[in-house]
Amino acid sequence: MPTSTSLPRPRGTSNGDICTVRMEHGGSKATLLSSIYMPFEAPDPPNQCVRRLLDEMMGTCNVILGCDANAHHFQWGSKDTNKRGESIFDFILSYNLRICNRGSDPTFKIRNREEVIDLTLSNLDDSVLRNWRVSKECSFSDHMQIFFDVSLDRGRQIPYRNPRRTNWDKYTELTNSQLTPNISTETVDDLNGTVKNLTDVLLRCHKESCPLTYPGRKSQPVWWSKELGELRKNTRRLYNRAHETKLDIDWDSYKVSFNKYKSEIKRAKKTSLVNFCESVEGVNDAARFRRLLSKDPKSIGSIKKQDGAWTDSATETLDLLAETHFPGCKDEDTVNNERDDFRVQEPLDLVLIDRVVNRSRIKWAVSTFKPYKSPGPDLIPNPGGDF
């Protein structure tokens, strides 16, 4: 399965009309996948963003462009050729791209019109990108779904270990048989050697007790339901009937079912989000929620101050939010300066240290860990509970 990478992205390859991803898949070249919308009112398509994308990436990447071109040309199966189509065809020739469209099946369908205005472009040959076709099924859109097969070098699936699948009885048995009861801590080297031996034993026992897991297919989203499935099935059935009969009454029935289906999806997503937010009570759940949101960070933007003016920068916005919700709080630099001023004046009390740090207290601290806590630098997972 291809995997996305953090390789440098070409400048200006994504905006409101273009979404581009670069993928590594084990081959000699990466593959650039781009979904492009060409507004009908924009002259001389495609725009400079698309041309700049190909100027930067054509020599180093395979390119697959899925275009809502809003243009007609005989070369991709349209019934006629217009000025927009000529402009796009000149672009195709200048960049030596291949038109992957086959046949004249309409890619755009409404009640009173059908046309081919969507096209797939690529620099891959027929042996790599093949079986291009327009789906006959309802796509829940005015545009039909387009399918094609791409034969790329398959990347290696990276297995992982899921701590929840660990056989903890086997793990306990292995650790009890392999750990040495006599521990020598007379010198620093003895202590370091003991720590290394303990870490190696725990990691080895965990690998033997926890099988490798390979990535699989994702399940349905949590908001999906049997009712939505039935509604989607009914909407597709009505679409097929309207497409066959071309009667206004059948198109009206399809539109009613389509609007209801879209409305129910929005309602289900909103209800699922509300239920999830209401279920977040502990720190762990809130931290997990924060990690999910941080994967797609959004800019805070400007907010209005009490005097009616707006903040001019992200720093000013954050300062205002902090002062509003946490009045009088100190910034990190002030706290760090106060910590630097602190100095230990008294010598260490070794007797007190022995009372505070002992076997029973360490056992209590480890036992308070939550199950399946993420491992630390030693990479040793913690099952939780007593040990």
Side-chain angles (χ1 to χ4, degrees):
M1 175 180 291
T3 56
S4 60
T5 68
S6 58
L7 295 174
R9 190 180 65 181
R11 299 185 302 274
T13 58
S14 293
N15 55 31
D17 295 331
I18 303 174
C19 180
T20 304
V21 296
R22 176 175 176 169
M23 305 187 73
E24 290 286 339
H25 44 78
S28 58
K29 287 186 178 181
T31 299
L32 208 69
L33 306 174
S34 188
S35 175
I36 302 172
Y37 171 68
M38 301 180 188
F40 181 81
E41 65 277 4
D44 301 325
N47 59 28
Q48 290 302 316
C49 184
V50 178
R51 298 175 189 270
R52 185 167 59 249
L53 166 67
L54 294 186
D55 288 338
E56 295 186 16
M57 307 306 296
M58 276 289 286
T60 59
C61 290
N62 300 318
V63 176
I64 301 177
L65 309 178
C67 308
D68 177 2
N70 285 310
H72 300 181
H73 202 287
F74 292 117
Q75 289 294 333
W76 52 80
S78 301
K79 300 175 182 178
D80 58 359
T81 299
N82 58 14
K83 184 178 180 180
R84 288 177 56 85
E86 291 286 0
S87 176
I88 295 176
F89 189 62
D90 291 341
F91 159 79
I92 295 172
L93 294 178
S94 63
Y95 285 93
N96 196 27
L97 295 173
R98 181 172 70 89
I99 301 175
C100 303
N101 293 43
R102 293 293 179 269
S104 58
D105 289 340
T107 63
F108 175 81
K109 291 183 180 182
I110 55 177
R111 180 178 309 198
N112 56 356
R113 188 163 69 93
E114 297 180 353
E115 190 54 83
V116 180
I117 60 174
D118 303 289
L119 63 152
T120 305
L121 306 175
S122 178
N123 61 352
L124 299 170
D125 57 36
D126 291 334
S127 63
V128 180
L129 196 157
R130 58 185 187 276
N131 296 334
W132 189 97
R133 61 211 182 270
V134 180
S135 174
K136 302 297 184 181
E137 294 186 0
C138 175
S139 64
F140 304 98
S141 170
D142 294 334
H143 294 262
M144 307 303 295
Q145 291 181 335
I146 295 175
F147 294 95
F148 51 84
D149 300 329
V150 182
S151 299
L152 299 173
D153 294 334
R154 184 179 178 87
R156 183 176 62 89
Q157 289 184 315
I158 302 177
Y160 62 95
R161 299 184 190 277
N162 184 355
R164 289 174 173 80
R165 299 186 60 189
T166 303
N167 185 339
W168 293 113
D169 292 334
K170 181 179 180 181
Y171 176 79
T172 303
E173 180 182 350
L174 291 174
T175 53
N176 288 337
S177 62
Q178 298 184 28
L179 287 176
T180 304
N182 297 326
I183 300 176
S184 175
T185 57
E186 295 181 359
T187 65
V188 174
D189 291 339
D190 291 340
L191 184 59
N192 289 336
T194 301
V195 172
K196 183 179 183 304
N197 178 67
L198 174 63
T199 302
D200 293 342
V201 169
L202 294 181
L203 288 176
R204 184 168 60 252
C205 293
H206 180 257
K207 289 180 180 179
E208 295 181 18
S209 307
C210 182
L212 286 172
T213 300
Y214 288 84
R217 295 184 61 185
K218 294 184 178 180
S219 58
Q220 291 280 12
V222 295
W223 49 265
W224 188 258
S225 64
K226 182 179 179 181
E227 290 74 16
L228 286 175
E230 292 295 330
L231 189 56
R232 179 176 64 178
K233 181 178 179 181
N234 182 60
T235 303
R236 283 179 171 170
R237 180 180 58 80
L238 293 174
Y239 170 82
N240 293 332
R241 177 191 298 173
H243 179 63
E244 291 175 1
T245 64
K246 302 186 183 303
L247 297 177
D248 288 343
I249 186 172
D250 290 333
W251 278 108
D252 291 337
S253 299
Y254 160 68
K255 283 297 182 181
V256 170
S257 180
F258 172 79
N259 292 334
K260 182 179 179 181
Y261 173 66
K262 290 294 185 181
S263 176
E264 287 299 313
I265 285 182
K266 292 181 180 179
R267 184 191 61 79
K269 289 182 177 179
K270 183 178 180 180
T271 302
S272 177
L273 178 61
V274 171
N275 293 337
F276 174 77
C277 294
E278 291 178 348
S279 66
V280 175
E281 297 180 353
V283 176
N284 294 335
D285 293 336
R288 234 175 30 245
F289 194 19
R290 182 200 64 78
R291 286 196 297 270
L292 289 174
L293 295 177
S294 64
K295 292 181 179 179
D296 186 20
K298 301 296 182 182
S299 175
I300 298 177
S302 300
I303 58 177
K304 185 180 290 187
K305 297 185 285 188
Q306 291 184 349
D307 59 1
W310 292 83
T311 56
D312 297 328
S313 64
T315 301
E316 187 179 2
T317 299
L318 293 174
D319 290 340
L320 180 58
L321 288 173
E323 182 61 29
T324 302
H325 296 284
F326 307 98
C329 66
K330 298 181 180 180
D331 59 24
E332 186 176 356
D333 293 336
T334 303
V335 175
N336 289 337
N337 291 334
E338 293 178 353
R339 289 176 178 172
D340 292 339
D341 294 336
F342 176 77
R343 297 292 185 271
V344 177
Q345 302 296 334
E346 299 293 333
L348 296 178
D349 187 346
L350 299 181
V351 177
L352 178 60
I353 292 177
D354 290 338
R355 284 170 42 196
V356 173
V357 183
N358 53 52
R359 182 179 180 84
S360 61
R361 289 181 179 271
I362 294 176
K363 182 177 180 180
W364 169 83
V366 174
S367 299
T368 61
F369 291 169
K370 293 291 185 179
Y372 310 112
K373 183 71 175 178
S374 298
D378 57 7
L379 302 180
I380 300 176
N382 173 62
D386 295 335
F387 67 98

